[in-house]
Amino acid sequence: MTAPIRIISADDPRIAAYASIREKDLTRGHGGRFIVEGKVTLETLIRRSAYQPESLFLSETRVDPLAPLLADVPDEVPIYVAPQKVMDRIAGFPIHRGVLACAKKPATPDLSSLLATAKTVLVLIGLSNHDNVGGCFRNAAAFGADLILLDDGSCDPFYRKSIRVSAGTVLSVPFHHGTPAPALLQAISDAGLDIWCLTPRANAVPIADLERPDRLALVLGAEGPGLSENLISQGTAIRIPMVAGFDSLNVATAGAIALNHVFM
C-alpha cells in the first residue's frame, strides 16, 4: 500500500472521477469506469474480483480501520483521503460509509464462451430497476449460479447502487450485458441449455413439478410487463404457485425462489 494522498480541495483534479457521482450514474458519465461504495464492495473488488481499482477515495477516519484491507491494494493504486465534509462536497451528497473506489469496466465478454460451460444461468430481461438487478446478483451468488445474462433493455449492473445492493457480487459473478432478448435466448438454446421462463399465467407448470435438467437457464422479466409471449415460447413456461387472486412477486424474490428450487 502506498502512503495515502491527502485531498483538501473539492476542485482537486486527481479526484475528478468521484465528482458528482450521483449525476454521473444517471448520465453514464464515468467514461467507461464504475464506482463502488462501502467496505463490503471494496473488499470484493480488491480480494475477489477480476478488476483492479484505478484509485480509492476514503474519509480520513476510515484509513486506520481499513488498514488490513488497504494492505492488499497494489502499490501503483493511489489512495486519496479527505475530511468527511470535503468528501461529501466532491461526491455531491453525504458519503456515510466514507469509502469509494473507481475501476475501469472490462470489455463485454463473448457470450458463447460464457455459455459453453455454464450449468445454471439467470437471465434478466428488461430490468431497469437498479435495486432489483443488484438483488438478483446477490441471489445468484447465494445459490451458485454460474452466469447472469442481461438483455439490452436491462440497466447496467455497474451502476453504483446495483453494485451496493448486490453486496459486491456484481464484481464476482460472471455476466454479459447488452444482447437483445430474442438473440440471447437463441444463444442459450444453441449452447444446449434448457430454458425455463417464469410467468404468473395459470397454465404455466408449477416449478415444484419439474426436476431440474443438468444445464438450465432461468428467465425473468420486468415487474409489470413480464416476459412476452414470443420469449416464453422459446422455453418452458413455469410459475411459482401463490394464493388465489395474487399473482405478483418482486422479481428478485421470484428469482431467489426459483434459484433455490434448482440449487445443486
Side-chain angles (χ1 to χ4, degrees), residues 125 151-152 179-189 228 230-231 234:
I125 305 297
D151 76 328
D152 57 346
T179 296
L184 204 57
L185 267 62
Q186 186 61 55
I188 294 167
S189 179
S228 69
N230 180 57
L231 291 178
Q234 292 185 246

Side-chain angles (χ1 to χ4, degrees), residues 5-53:
I5 301 167
R6 185 170 173 80
I7 301 295
I8 59 174
S9 169
D11 298 322
D12 193 314
R14 292 175 292 183
I15 43 75
Y18 302 98
S20 303
I21 57 175
R22 178 174 285 164
E23 286 75 16
K24 287 179 178 177
D25 262 350
L26 295 174
T27 61
R28 300 187 180 186
H30 283 300
R33 292 167 173 80
F34 63 92
I35 299 291
V36 304
E37 177 183 357
K39 178 184 176 181
V40 171
T41 51
L42 178 63
E43 183 176 11
T44 301
L45 175 65
I46 293 171
R47 293 177 172 168
R48 295 188 297 279
S49 83
Y51 315 116
Q52 178 171 306

Side-chain angles (χ1 to χ4, degrees), residues 187-194 215-216:
I188 294 167
S189 179
D190 291 344
L193 285 82
D194 284 54
R215 302 180 68 216
L216 173 67

